[in-house]
Amino acid sequence: MQFTTTQDSPVSIGSECLLLGLGEDKRFGESLTEIDQASNGFFSRLLESGDLPTKAGKTILVHGVPGLTAARVLVAGLGKAEKLDGVAFYKLMQAVGKALRASPATSAHCLLTEAEVCGRDLAERTRLAALGLAHGNYVYSATKKPADDAPPSTERVSFPAADGIEAQLAIAESVYAGIQRCRDLGDLPPNICNPEYLADTARRMAEQHQGLEIDVLDEAQMTELKMHSLLAVGQGSANPSYLIHLRWRGGSAGDAPLALVGKGITFDTGGISLKPRDLMEQMKFDMCGAATALGVMEAVAGLKLPLNVDCVVAAVENMPDGKAYRPGDVITTMSGKTVEVHNTDAEGRMILADALTWTGQFVKPAATVDIATLTGACVVALGHHASAVMTQDDELAEELVAAGTEAADRGWRLPLWDDYQEQIDTPFADMKNIGGMPAGSITAGCFLSRFAEGQRWAHLDIAGSAWQWGKPVSATGRPVGLLVQWLVDRAGGWSKIAH
Ligand code: BES
Ligand code: MN
Ligand code: ZN
């Protein structure tokens, strides 16, 4: 989807579809008023007859409105004014993008940025609107071609010209490229998106973006480094494991980078602690932490962010096999700390343990954020609405939660108090890899914290936010938005991004 600006009046614009909004107060905004007048009260009559939606996210498409050049008008309900915050606005823009996709229109003109959105200025509304439209317009097509009579995607969307809007739209295009990268990888089936596919994707990204550099460590190199915890998880799989390292050097040469560490379990059967058969196919989403880290790098390179950013992805498949690691095994991690395996299905923390140690040792970051679909308990706690933020660093927690709110891609903090640490004690090793039923997401975070000692570190559990129920159950592209916002904040804000 391409974004442009135009000075044209909505009455005479050549786009195939006008996009407008109406709140529950039923007051016509500037453009709706103008269009209503040009069409001799067409929309006033629709409002009277009760045909205009006002509830948030409801839409109608009307054809052949007299007095307009545009072939159709899509009106979206904005809901109650006091409820229309950034998240609600982003959601309803996604619904508009979806409705637009279901129509024959291939171009549109968006007047929804006229809406008043709590605490959001025109630049923010424009970014959210563009991101939402692009998001809603997407239909999976990697392994299923659309039907011959399927409606086309919307190629071009224009916005009313105003100061700085072109720049906001260019920013949105780069951020969306990252979100789309993340969704594409998440939705791909595990027989295609295996560890090697993740490595190849990162290599292709490095080819496409000047300034993005890549290294991929294979199993021999990881054996050399004693990354036995990561390797243990992969040893039951016929697909070799990789550690992928992408670097972006947009900042000063001496500045320590910010690091993103992604869980890239391309399929999680549970291993010897085999998962039940129902819904196991959803474990193709278990590489969404990796997909997020790669998606953020895509956006960072597109935005030419003036920062140094490193991305480390542990790409591994968790399978049961004669060679698989087993419950009872004691494994010496790269850090030297020993782990007693109580459940081979708690594999994410095993691979992240070594990935975090490697990052601390070779990247020497100013701060590290790991991203992982780590625990089912996180879905129980927060559902699909928020990523869990865990860290012992209050300031970092604050930064991440604020970035999520700003980007309409929310995070919510869970405590990482020392009180929980004893749940992973065992007489046979420095720790065990599960902490029992209580606070399963937090004890997973406690486990990771032991491999991030000395680093300024936070953990995002995205087990719920990375994918959503629906038809189909699909990847959301989250939390790319949250993390891009966090990085942009570190660079001094959107005004520091040249476009
Ligand atoms: N990948 C899963 C977590 C998960 C579950 C993500 C559901 C998304 C939806 C993870 O590897 C896992 O299996 N965790 C176990 C941990 C347990 C064995 C302590 C879990 O949550 O059941
Ligand atoms: Mn698992
Ligand atoms: Zn997993």
Side-chain angles (χ1 to χ4, degrees):
M1 190 178 271
Q2 275 191 335
F3 301 117
T4 56
T5 61
T6 174
Q7 309 267 9
D8 291 357
S9 143
V11 173
S12 59
I13 198 160
S15 289
E16 292 170 44
C17 189
L18 298 181
L19 311 177
L20 288 149
L22 181 64
E24 282 184 31
D25 62 6
K26 299 185 177 167
R27 276 202 353 251
F28 284 9
E30 196 187 312
S31 292
L32 197 46
T33 306
E34 201 181 331
I35 287 168
D36 192 44
Q37 280 164 4
S39 62
N40 276 322
F42 185 92
F43 290 93
S44 297
R45 289 193 294 278
L46 275 186
L47 181 61
E48 259 166 55
S49 63
D51 285 310
L52 278 190
T54 60
K55 292 245 181 305
K58 289 263 176 306
T59 60
I60 56 156
L61 191 64
V62 289
H63 301 257
V65 180
L68 303 184
T69 312
R72 359 181 139 61
V73 178
L74 195 154
V75 183
L78 301 174
K80 291 191 174 43
E82 68 274 18
K83 292 271 187 194
L84 189 57
D85 60 7
V87 173
F89 183 65
Y90 186 40
K91 267 196 199 161
L92 88 85
M93 288 311 305
Q94 292 184 16
V96 172
K98 215 172 163 186
L100 195 54
R101 179 63 193 240
S103 84
T106 60
S107 68
H109 182 59
C110 180
L111 296 154
L112 278 147
T113 48
E114 278 176 13
E116 272 186 45
V117 182
C118 308
R120 305 297 179 133
D121 61 19
L122 180 62
E124 291 173 284
R125 297 198 299 272
T126 303
R127 286 200 307 270
L128 287 174
L131 284 177
L133 287 174
H135 203 286
N137 207 244
Y138 162 81
V139 175
Y140 175 87
S141 64
T143 51
K144 178 173 179 166
K145 293 297 161 218
D148 289 342
D149 58 351
S153 74
T154 311
E155 306 295 339
R156 288 170 315 282
V157 178
S158 58
F159 289 77
D163 231 19
I165 294 305
E166 298 261 4
Q168 297 307 324
L169 293 171
I171 284 171
E173 270 181 34
S174 291
V175 175
Y176 191 71
I179 292 174
Q180 187 60 54
R181 167 76 67 193
C182 177
R183 288 170 92 184
D184 280 342
L185 288 170
D187 283 339
L188 278 175
N191 60 326
I192 294 177
C193 184
N194 58 25
E196 191 173 352
Y197 187 92
L198 286 181
D200 286 341
T201 301
R203 286 192 190 98
R204 264 183 280 127
M205 282 171 57
E207 272 165 29
Q208 279 159 15
H209 293 282
Q210 216 202 347
L212 209 52
E213 281 166 34
I214 182 157
D215 280 312
V216 178
L217 275 67
D218 62 15
E219 289 183 346
Q221 290 164 296
M222 289 192 281
T223 306
E224 192 79 13
L225 289 164
K226 300 193 164 67
M227 303 178 77
H228 299 305
S229 182
L230 187 156
L231 291 165
V233 176
Q235 78 196 25
S237 170
N239 293 312
S241 307
Y242 296 100
L243 191 82
I244 304 162
H245 180 206
L246 272 175
R247 288 177 300 282
W248 171 258
R249 288 290 168 274
S252 314
D255 282 0
L258 299 168
L260 304 172
V261 178
K263 169 179 173 181
I265 293 287
T266 61
F267 194 66
D268 182 12
T269 63
I272 297 300
S273 314
L274 193 64
K275 285 183 180 295
R277 63 187 172 198
D278 284 351
L279 304 182
M280 201 202 270
E281 72 283 356
Q282 289 177 2
M283 285 301 120
K284 73 170 183 178
F285 296 122
D286 215 16
M287 33 57 66
C288 283
T292 299
L294 292 173
V296 173
M297 293 312 274
E298 182 89 51
V300 161
L303 294 166
K304 303 208 183 319
L305 209 66
L307 277 185
N308 297 332
V309 186
D310 280 42
C311 158
V312 177
V313 163
V316 183
E317 188 179 44
N318 187 22
M319 298 290 269
D321 183 74
K323 292 200 203 101
Y325 81 134
R326 41 181 114 51
D329 284 0
V330 173
I331 297 181
T332 304
T333 62
M334 182 184 183
S335 70
K337 290 179 178 158
T338 55
V339 177
E340 185 182 24
V341 178
H342 277 225
N343 192 322
T344 62
D345 198 11
E347 84 298 336
R349 63 199 81 181
M350 300 294 291
I351 65 166
L352 287 173
D354 281 349
L356 285 169
T357 303
W358 189 90
T359 302
Q361 219 163 297
F362 293 101
V363 177
K364 300 190 176 59
T368 304
V369 179
D370 78 65
I371 315 111
T373 48
L374 204 63
T375 60
C378 186
V379 193
V380 175
L382 296 175
H384 296 275
H385 298 294
S387 305
V389 179
M390 284 168 252
T391 172
Q392 287 144 344
D393 187 315
D394 292 342
E395 198 189 10
L396 185 53
E398 189 89 359
E399 288 174 10
L400 289 163
V401 171
T405 305
E406 177 66 24
D409 179 3
R410 285 186 290 211
W412 197 254
R413 192 177 186 188
L414 297 180
L416 258 198
W417 297 318
D418 288 344
D419 310 56
Y420 296 98
Q421 291 279 354
E422 66 183 37
Q423 282 179 239
I424 57 174
D425 285 349
T426 168
F428 297 107
D430 293 327
M431 69 201 87
K432 56 182 176 180
N433 78 334
I434 59 174
M437 194 272 284
S441 301
I442 295 174
T443 53
C446 287
F447 182 98
L448 295 180
S449 72
R450 300 184 183 199
F451 300 91
E453 274 168 10
Q455 296 185 55
R456 187 169 183 247
W457 160 84
H459 158 58
L460 298 183
D461 194 333
I462 61 164
S465 58
W467 58 282
Q468 65 196 352
W469 288 100
K471 283 184 188 155
V473 176
S474 56
T476 57
R478 295 179 65 189
V480 171
L482 181 159
L483 286 166
V484 170
Q485 181 71 47
W486 178 66
L487 291 171
V488 167
D489 289 345
R490 307 283 71 67
W494 292 106
S495 63
K496 294 284 172 2
I497 313 290
H499 255 102

